[in-house]
Amino acid sequence: MLVALGFLMVATFMALIMTKRMTPLLALIIVPTAFGLFAGAGFGVGDMVMDAVKDMSGTAALLMFAIMYFGIMIDVGLFDKLVAGILKIVGHDPAKVVIGTALLTALISLDGDGSTTFIVVTAALLPIYQRLGMSPVVLTCVAGLTNGTLNIVPWGGPTARAAAALGVDASAIFVPMLPSLGIGLVVIAIFAWQLGLSERRRLHRENPELWGTELGGGTLSNGSKSPAFDGGTSLALLESVATKGDGSETATMHGTVLDPTRETLRPKLFPFNLALTVAIMVLLIVDVMPLSYLFMIGAALALVVNFPRVSDQVKMIAAHSQEIIAVVSMVLGAAVLTGVLSGTGMVDAMSQWLVEVIPDSMGPFMAVLTGLISIPATFLMSNDAFYFGILPVLSEAGAHYGIDAVDMARASITGQPVHMQSPLVPAILLLVSLARVDLGDHHKKVLWRAVVVSLVMLASGVLFGAIRMG
């Protein structure tokens, strides 16, 4: 009975959010409540849910203050000079432009918001791609890969969901996965360099009279030397090479979160903001204090120093309230689902059933299986459906083989590079729309690379001991 009710509850929840009959937040609250009452929990549902809320309070605090902190750092201009530096370094060499795309995406992805990242990246780099005649599919491929990989930061969606669903600390999931994240980013850098070299060769091949037939430069029809992608390419040449645009496009941050005219800029406080951010990142890695408290202190210091006036502090908090409410409310809503699943005994019954179904020889590999399942599962369904509907059951089954919930959580986030390419993710639809790229063309170039990055992260997680076997 409990097994049937549990799977039916998960299926109902997933169906409602995937068919857009109900928002994930409302489904997280209403569906488990209805099934909990039907299972005979009565008014005891309230106690089940509140116990789960207490367990998730640390994750909710982390998300709230991490989102606020990075939002403030973007507002005050911490990343502006870094973005300008990246744009200056890439010059007009296609290979460097693609590497710069990965660097810029990684930098802006720290705020945990894919839509903001893609708006900034396309505003800064799409004009350069257009002027050089580079394929914008390369831009969407590298940006999508990088953002999907960095989506596992503890204030991002999947790690927060995994922490909420399994009742573990988000930093306990993320910090041991840092080596895997680093290796994943190295793989992306290799892919980016290869794509950049491919674009460089294509431009030489399609325009030999302009770029020369050799990668080191050649001779134009008028006897002058071609620029050899050394950053000294003339504007006239760039305009003639462009396959899209009329040559008048320029990179601009106007209208984005990096608008150079925004009132929140604090250029004189750049050293302080940089030092504060570096200190937080160091403390995050060494793990000497709770991550939620770390970002509480960071956000408070950032507000007091950058915005001494109380009225300005209120404005800055309100400016990021929409993102904070959307994420934190989701975590608290998840307490209803996890509370009912555990309080009624549904998750125990479901996991016991899975243990009986899964061959004993495969049991010790449940964490790896979870990582492999996450690759297609998070592409075909939302993170809410996977982390709140499927992961708790897999985790409880893994517990029967001695696999800790935190290991299952770490394995589950390795599929995020693939998840970010899903048409179910609004941010990726925004990216391809801004870059004027067909989603099918994007998938042809990005999907197999995303699978490779996910598998590398999973394998390195096992190798470094972050994902343990039973």
Side-chain angles (χ1 to χ4, degrees):
M1 177 69 173
L2 286 177
V3 173
L5 277 178
F7 280 114
L8 183 59
M9 180 174 72
V10 171
T12 303
F13 165 73
M14 293 171 61
L16 286 173
I17 64 175
M18 293 177 72
T19 58
K20 301 188 183 303
R21 299 292 179 86
M22 196 176 289
T23 66
L25 176 60
L26 296 183
L28 282 169
I29 297 172
I30 294 174
V31 173
T33 299
F35 275 85
L37 293 173
F38 187 77
F43 291 114
V45 167
D47 292 332
M48 298 175 190
V49 171
M50 292 314 297
D51 287 340
V53 168
K54 292 175 184 176
D55 293 336
M56 296 179 184
S57 59
T59 298
L62 165 64
L63 294 174
M64 175 177 177
F65 289 99
I67 291 171
M68 185 185 301
Y69 179 82
F70 282 107
I72 292 169
M73 288 299 105
I74 289 175
D75 291 336
V76 300
L78 174 64
F79 300 123
D80 289 39
K81 290 184 179 179
L82 298 176
V83 171
I86 290 173
L87 295 178
K88 184 177 181 180
I89 290 171
V90 300
H92 300 129
D93 181 346
K96 292 181 181 178
V97 168
V98 181
I99 288 291
T101 303
L103 289 174
L104 181 60
T105 305
L107 186 67
I108 306 301
S109 292
L110 288 175
D111 78 336
D113 183 4
S115 297
T116 297
T117 299
F118 295 146
I119 289 171
V120 170
V121 170
T122 52
L125 293 175
L126 184 60
I128 297 176
Y129 275 75
Q130 290 175 326
R131 182 161 292 178
L132 288 173
M134 295 173 62
S135 170
V137 182
V138 174
L139 185 155
T140 64
C141 174
V142 174
L145 270 180
T146 308
N147 181 259
T149 303
L150 280 164
N151 201 34
I152 72 168
V153 293
W155 49 90
T159 301
R161 285 172 172 84
L166 302 185
V168 297
D169 188 70
S171 61
I173 299 173
F174 175 69
V175 174
M177 288 296 290
L178 279 173
S180 295
L181 174 60
I183 292 174
L185 292 175
V186 169
V187 173
I188 291 172
I190 294 172
F191 280 142
W193 183 248
Q194 291 175 336
L195 287 167
L197 292 179
S198 177
E199 283 295 283
R200 183 195 282 178
R201 286 192 292 266
R202 181 181 64 81
L203 290 174
H204 275 283
R205 184 173 62 251
E206 294 179 359
N207 302 277
E209 73 283 1
L210 293 169
W211 297 111
T213 56
E214 301 296 331
L215 293 184
T219 303
L220 301 179
S221 56
N222 61 5
S224 61
K225 295 289 290 183
S226 66
F229 297 106
D230 60 359
T233 308
S234 68
L235 179 61
L237 181 58
L238 291 174
E239 290 174 348
S240 65
V241 171
T243 57
K244 288 187 177 181
D246 58 7
S248 63
E249 301 83 2
T250 57
T252 176
M253 294 291 102
H254 287 280
T256 75
V257 294
L258 297 183
D259 192 322
T261 63
R262 61 190 186 277
E263 297 179 355
T264 57
L265 284 175
R266 298 292 187 271
K268 293 182 179 180
L269 292 173
F270 178 82
F272 167 80
N273 291 318
L274 180 61
L276 180 62
T277 302
V278 170
I280 289 177
M281 293 298 102
V282 171
L283 290 173
L284 182 153
I285 294 173
V286 298
D287 195 22
V288 294
M289 66 174 63
L291 206 54
S292 54
Y293 179 62
L294 182 62
F295 276 104
M296 282 183 184
I297 295 295
L301 290 175
L303 280 171
V304 169
V305 175
N306 288 281
F307 303 97
R309 296 172 56 186
V310 174
S311 58
D312 290 336
Q313 294 170 9
V314 172
K315 288 180 182 178
M316 294 306 300
I317 294 173
H320 301 286
S321 60
Q322 183 175 352
E323 295 86 353
I324 292 171
I325 291 173
V327 176
V328 173
S329 63
M330 190 75 69
V331 171
L332 296 177
V336 182
L337 178 62
T338 57
V340 170
L341 273 173
S342 59
T344 60
M346 288 183 190
V347 72
D348 291 331
M350 295 162 71
S351 63
Q352 186 61 47
W353 180 82
L354 277 177
V355 170
E356 295 173 359
V357 171
I358 296 173
D360 290 338
S361 60
M362 297 298 293
F365 301 99
M366 278 298 297
V368 174
L369 288 175
T370 298
L372 294 175
I373 290 170
S374 73
I375 295 174
T378 57
F379 182 82
L380 298 172
M381 64 180 67
S382 68
N383 273 339
D384 297 300
F386 177 75
Y387 286 103
F388 297 133
I390 294 177
L391 181 59
V393 179
L394 293 173
S395 178
E396 194 66 26
H400 287 273
Y401 297 98
I403 302 175
D404 293 338
V406 71
D407 293 290
M408 300 290 285
R410 291 168 191 156
S412 72
I413 62 177
T414 58
Q416 285 306 299
V418 176
H419 164 75
M420 185 52 70
Q421 319 313 319
S422 170
L424 300 176
V425 178
I428 205 66
L429 299 179
L430 173 65
L431 173 64
V432 297
S433 175
L434 290 172
R436 295 186 286 279
V437 165
D438 181 76
L439 184 61
D441 293 337
H442 171 75
H443 280 162
K444 289 177 184 177
K445 193 172 289 289
V446 78
L447 278 182
W448 73 266
R449 291 181 170 89
V451 170
V452 170
V453 175
S454 290
L455 292 176
V456 167
M457 291 178 66
L458 178 61
S460 59
V462 173
L463 181 64
F464 288 108
I467 301 172
R468 294 185 290 268
M469 303 292 186

PDB file of all heavy atoms in Angstrom, residues 348-366:
ATOM      1  N   ASP A 348      10.696   4.568   2.969  1.00  0.00           N
ATOM      2  CA  ASP A 348      11.269   3.305   3.432  1.00  0.00           C
ATOM      3  C   ASP A 348      10.704   2.127   2.648  1.00  0.00           C
ATOM      4  O   ASP A 348      11.439   1.215   2.238  1.00  0.00           O
ATOM      5  CB  ASP A 348      10.998   3.112   4.930  1.00  0.00           C
ATOM      6  CG  ASP A 348      11.786   4.089   5.783  1.00  0.00           C
ATOM      7  OD1 ASP A 348      12.871   4.503   5.344  1.00  0.00           O
ATOM      8  OD2 ASP A 348      11.310   4.427   6.877  1.00  0.00           O
ATOM      9  N   ALA A 349       9.380   2.148   2.463  1.00  0.00           N
ATOM     10  CA  ALA A 349       8.728   1.060   1.734  1.00  0.00           C
ATOM     11  C   ALA A 349       9.173   1.030   0.281  1.00  0.00           C
ATOM     12  O   ALA A 349       9.440  -0.041  -0.291  1.00  0.00           O
ATOM     13  CB  ALA A 349       7.210   1.212   1.831  1.00  0.00           C
ATOM     14  N   MET A 350       9.290   2.214  -0.338  1.00  0.00           N
ATOM     15  CA  MET A 350       9.700   2.294  -1.740  1.00  0.00           C
ATOM     16  C   MET A 350      11.141   1.838  -1.913  1.00  0.00           C
ATOM     17  O   MET A 350      11.462   1.115  -2.871  1.00  0.00           O
ATOM     18  CB  MET A 350       9.533   3.734  -2.247  1.00  0.00           C
ATOM     19  CG  MET A 350       8.081   4.217  -2.280  1.00  0.00           C
ATOM     20  SD  MET A 350       7.957   6.028  -2.359  1.00  0.00           S
ATOM     21  CE  MET A 350       8.512   6.343  -4.023  1.00  0.00           C
ATOM     22  N   SER A 351      12.002   2.238  -1.002  1.00  0.00           N
ATOM     23  CA  SER A 351      13.401   1.845  -1.112  1.00  0.00           C
ATOM     24  C   SER A 351      13.567   0.346  -0.900  1.00  0.00           C
ATOM     25  O   SER A 351      14.395  -0.295  -1.555  1.00  0.00           O
ATOM     26  CB  SER A 351      14.245   2.623  -0.100  1.00  0.00           C
ATOM     27  OG  SER A 351      13.856   2.302   1.225  1.00  0.00           O
ATOM     28  N   GLN A 352      12.788  -0.218   0.023  1.00  0.00           N
ATOM     29  CA  GLN A 352      12.858  -1.654   0.258  1.00  0.00           C
ATOM     30  C   GLN A 352      12.444  -2.420  -0.985  1.00  0.00           C
ATOM     31  O   GLN A 352      13.037  -3.453  -1.335  1.00  0.00           O
ATOM     32  CB  GLN A 352      11.957  -2.035   1.441  1.00  0.00           C
ATOM     33  CG  GLN A 352      12.068  -3.492   1.861  1.00  0.00           C
ATOM     34  CD  GLN A 352      13.473  -3.856   2.309  1.00  0.00           C
ATOM     35  OE1 GLN A 352      14.086  -3.124   3.088  1.00  0.00           O
ATOM     36  NE2 GLN A 352      14.006  -4.963   1.823  1.00  0.00           N
ATOM     37  N   TRP A 353      11.443  -1.900  -1.671  1.00  0.00           N
ATOM     38  CA  TRP A 353      10.998  -2.522  -2.918  1.00  0.00           C
ATOM     39  C   TRP A 353      12.101  -2.457  -3.972  1.00  0.00           C
ATOM     40  O   TRP A 353      12.346  -3.426  -4.699  1.00  0.00           O
ATOM     41  CB  TRP A 353       9.737  -1.814  -3.422  1.00  0.00           C
ATOM     42  CG  TRP A 353       9.205  -2.372  -4.706  1.00  0.00           C
ATOM     43  CD1 TRP A 353       8.416  -3.466  -4.883  1.00  0.00           C
ATOM     44  CD2 TRP A 353       9.448  -1.842  -6.024  1.00  0.00           C
ATOM     45  NE1 TRP A 353       8.151  -3.665  -6.221  1.00  0.00           N
ATOM     46  CE2 TRP A 353       8.768  -2.681  -6.929  1.00  0.00           C
ATOM     47  CE3 TRP A 353      10.164  -0.751  -6.512  1.00  0.00           C
ATOM     48  CZ2 TRP A 353       8.789  -2.449  -8.306  1.00  0.00           C
ATOM     49  CZ3 TRP A 353      10.185  -0.524  -7.878  1.00  0.00           C
ATOM     50  CH2 TRP A 353       9.510  -1.362  -8.750  1.00  0.00           C
ATOM     51  N   LEU A 354      12.785  -1.290  -4.059  1.00  0.00           N
ATOM     52  CA  LEU A 354      13.874  -1.151  -5.020  1.00  0.00           C
ATOM     53  C   LEU A 354      15.019  -2.104  -4.696  1.00  0.00           C
ATOM     54  O   LEU A 354      15.639  -2.682  -5.595  1.00  0.00           O
ATOM     55  CB  LEU A 354      14.404   0.284  -5.023  1.00  0.00           C
ATOM     56  CG  LEU A 354      13.654   1.311  -5.875  1.00  0.00           C
ATOM     57  CD1 LEU A 354      14.280   2.681  -5.701  1.00  0.00           C
ATOM     58  CD2 LEU A 354      13.661   0.919  -7.349  1.00  0.00           C
ATOM     59  N   VAL A 355      15.312  -2.259  -3.417  1.00  0.00           N
ATOM     60  CA  VAL A 355      16.375  -3.172  -3.002  1.00  0.00           C
ATOM     61  C   VAL A 355      16.071  -4.591  -3.450  1.00  0.00           C
ATOM     62  O   VAL A 355      16.956  -5.338  -3.882  1.00  0.00           O
ATOM     63  CB  VAL A 355      16.576  -3.116  -1.468  1.00  0.00           C
ATOM     64  CG1 VAL A 355      17.489  -4.236  -1.003  1.00  0.00           C
ATOM     65  CG2 VAL A 355      17.138  -1.767  -1.065  1.00  0.00           C
ATOM     66  N   GLU A 356      14.815  -4.967  -3.356  1.00  0.00           N
ATOM     67  CA  GLU A 356      14.419  -6.313  -3.775  1.00  0.00           C
ATOM     68  C   GLU A 356      14.504  -6.476  -5.284  1.00  0.00           C
ATOM     69  O   GLU A 356      14.768  -7.573  -5.781  1.00  0.00           O
ATOM     70  CB  GLU A 356      13.001  -6.606  -3.293  1.00  0.00           C
ATOM     71  CG  GLU A 356      12.870  -6.666  -1.769  1.00  0.00           C
ATOM     72  CD  GLU A 356      11.432  -6.784  -1.310  1.00  0.00           C
ATOM     73  OE1 GLU A 356      10.544  -6.793  -2.191  1.00  0.00           O
ATOM     74  OE2 GLU A 356      11.191  -6.860  -0.099  1.00  0.00           O
ATOM     75  N   VAL A 357      14.280  -5.379  -6.013  1.00  0.00           N
ATOM     76  CA  VAL A 357      14.282  -5.439  -7.490  1.00  0.00           C
ATOM     77  C   VAL A 357      15.702  -5.396  -8.036  1.00  0.00           C
ATOM     78  O   VAL A 357      16.046  -6.110  -8.990  1.00  0.00           O
ATOM     79  CB  VAL A 357      13.444  -4.283  -8.077  1.00  0.00           C
ATOM     80  CG1 VAL A 357      13.624  -4.203  -9.591  1.00  0.00           C
ATOM     81  CG2 VAL A 357      11.979  -4.463  -7.719  1.00  0.00           C
ATOM     82  N   ILE A 358      16.546  -4.532  -7.453  1.00  0.00           N
ATOM     83  CA  ILE A 358      17.919  -4.364  -7.950  1.00  0.00           C
ATOM     84  C   ILE A 358      18.753  -5.585  -7.569  1.00  0.00           C
ATOM     85  O   ILE A 358      18.754  -6.004  -6.415  1.00  0.00           O
ATOM     86  CB  ILE A 358      18.560  -3.095  -7.361  1.00  0.00           C
ATOM     87  CG1 ILE A 358      17.794  -1.855  -7.844  1.00  0.00           C
ATOM     88  CG2 ILE A 358      20.025  -2.993  -7.754  1.00  0.00           C
ATOM     89  CD1 ILE A 358      18.252  -0.574  -7.174  1.00  0.00           C
ATOM     90  N   PRO A 359      19.477  -6.169  -8.527  1.00  0.00           N
ATOM     91  CA  PRO A 359      20.340  -7.314  -8.208  1.00  0.00           C
ATOM     92  C   PRO A 359      21.353  -6.949  -7.127  1.00  0.00           C
ATOM     93  O   PRO A 359      21.882  -5.831  -7.109  1.00  0.00           O
ATOM     94  CB  PRO A 359      21.034  -7.616  -9.545  1.00  0.00           C
ATOM     95  CG  PRO A 359      20.139  -7.029 -10.585  1.00  0.00           C
ATOM     96  CD  PRO A 359      19.528  -5.817  -9.956  1.00  0.00           C
ATOM     97  N   ASP A 360      21.640  -7.886  -6.240  1.00  0.00           N
ATOM     98  CA  ASP A 360      22.578  -7.627  -5.150  1.00  0.00           C
ATOM     99  C   ASP A 360      23.945  -7.195  -5.655  1.00  0.00           C
ATOM    100  O   ASP A 360      24.640  -6.407  -5.011  1.00  0.00           O
ATOM    101  CB  ASP A 360      22.726  -8.884  -4.280  1.00  0.00           C
ATOM    102  CG  ASP A 360      21.467  -9.166  -3.467  1.00  0.00           C
ATOM    103  OD1 ASP A 360      20.689  -8.216  -3.254  1.00  0.00           O
ATOM    104  OD2 ASP A 360      21.273 -10.326  -3.074  1.00  0.00           O
ATOM    105  N   SER A 361      24.340  -7.721  -6.805  1.00  0.00           N
ATOM    106  CA  SER A 361      25.657  -7.379  -7.353  1.00  0.00           C
ATOM    107  C   SER A 361      25.760  -5.906  -7.743  1.00  0.00           C
ATOM    108  O   SER A 361      26.857  -5.334  -7.809  1.00  0.00           O
ATOM    109  CB  SER A 361      25.963  -8.259  -8.567  1.00  0.00           C
ATOM    110  OG  SER A 361      24.987  -8.069  -9.582  1.00  0.00           O
ATOM    111  N   MET A 362      24.607  -5.261  -8.030  1.00  0.00           N
ATOM    112  CA  MET A 362      24.612  -3.857  -8.429  1.00  0.00           C
ATOM    113  C   MET A 362      24.433  -2.911  -7.256  1.00  0.00           C
ATOM    114  O   MET A 362      24.686  -1.720  -7.377  1.00  0.00           O
ATOM    115  CB  MET A 362      23.480  -3.616  -9.451  1.00  0.00           C
ATOM    116  CG  MET A 362      23.627  -4.399 -10.750  1.00  0.00           C
ATOM    117  SD  MET A 362      25.141  -3.932 -11.643  1.00  0.00           S
ATOM    118  CE  MET A 362      24.727  -2.250 -12.090  1.00  0.00           C
ATOM    119  N   GLY A 363      23.999  -3.434  -6.116  1.00  0.00           N
ATOM    120  CA  GLY A 363      23.715  -2.588  -4.965  1.00  0.00           C
ATOM    121  C   GLY A 363      24.845  -1.679  -4.551  1.00  0.00           C
ATOM    122  O   GLY A 363      24.631  -0.464  -4.339  1.00  0.00           O
ATOM    123  N   PRO A 364      26.077  -2.178  -4.408  1.00  0.00           N
ATOM    124  CA  PRO A 364      27.182  -1.308  -3.974  1.00  0.00           C
ATOM    125  C   PRO A 364      27.504  -0.173  -4.949  1.00  0.00           C
ATOM    126  O   PRO A 364      28.229   0.754  -4.595  1.00  0.00           O
ATOM    127  CB  PRO A 364      28.364  -2.283  -3.867  1.00  0.00           C
ATOM    128  CG  PRO A 364      27.735  -3.616  -3.648  1.00  0.00           C
ATOM    129  CD  PRO A 364      26.485  -3.584  -4.469  1.00  0.00           C
ATOM    130  N   PHE A 365      26.964  -0.272  -6.166  1.00  0.00           N
ATOM    131  CA  PHE A 365      27.255   0.751  -7.176  1.00  0.00           C
ATOM    132  C   PHE A 365      26.086   1.736  -7.334  1.00  0.00           C
ATOM    133  O   PHE A 365      25.971   2.409  -8.350  1.00  0.00           O
ATOM    134  CB  PHE A 365      27.553   0.099  -8.522  1.00  0.00           C
ATOM    135  CG  PHE A 365      28.711  -0.857  -8.487  1.00  0.00           C
ATOM    136  CD1 PHE A 365      28.495  -2.223  -8.380  1.00  0.00           C
ATOM    137  CD2 PHE A 365      30.016  -0.393  -8.536  1.00  0.00           C
ATOM    138  CE1 PHE A 365      29.556  -3.114  -8.339  1.00  0.00           C
ATOM    139  CE2 PHE A 365      31.087  -1.273  -8.490  1.00  0.00           C
ATOM    140  CZ  PHE A 365      30.857  -2.632  -8.390  1.00  0.00           C
ATOM    141  N   MET A 366      25.215   1.821  -6.319  1.00  0.00           N
ATOM    142  CA  MET A 366      24.028   2.672  -6.422  1.00  0.00           C
ATOM    143  C   MET A 366      24.381   4.140  -6.657  1.00  0.00           C
ATOM    144  O   MET A 366      23.667   4.845  -7.375  1.00  0.00           O
ATOM    145  CB  MET A 366      23.177   2.545  -5.161  1.00  0.00           C
ATOM    146  CG  MET A 366      22.261   1.330  -5.142  1.00  0.00           C
ATOM    147  SD  MET A 366      21.044   1.358  -6.484  1.00  0.00           S
ATOM    148  CE  MET A 366      20.117   2.833  -6.075  1.00  0.00           C
TER     149      MET A 366
END
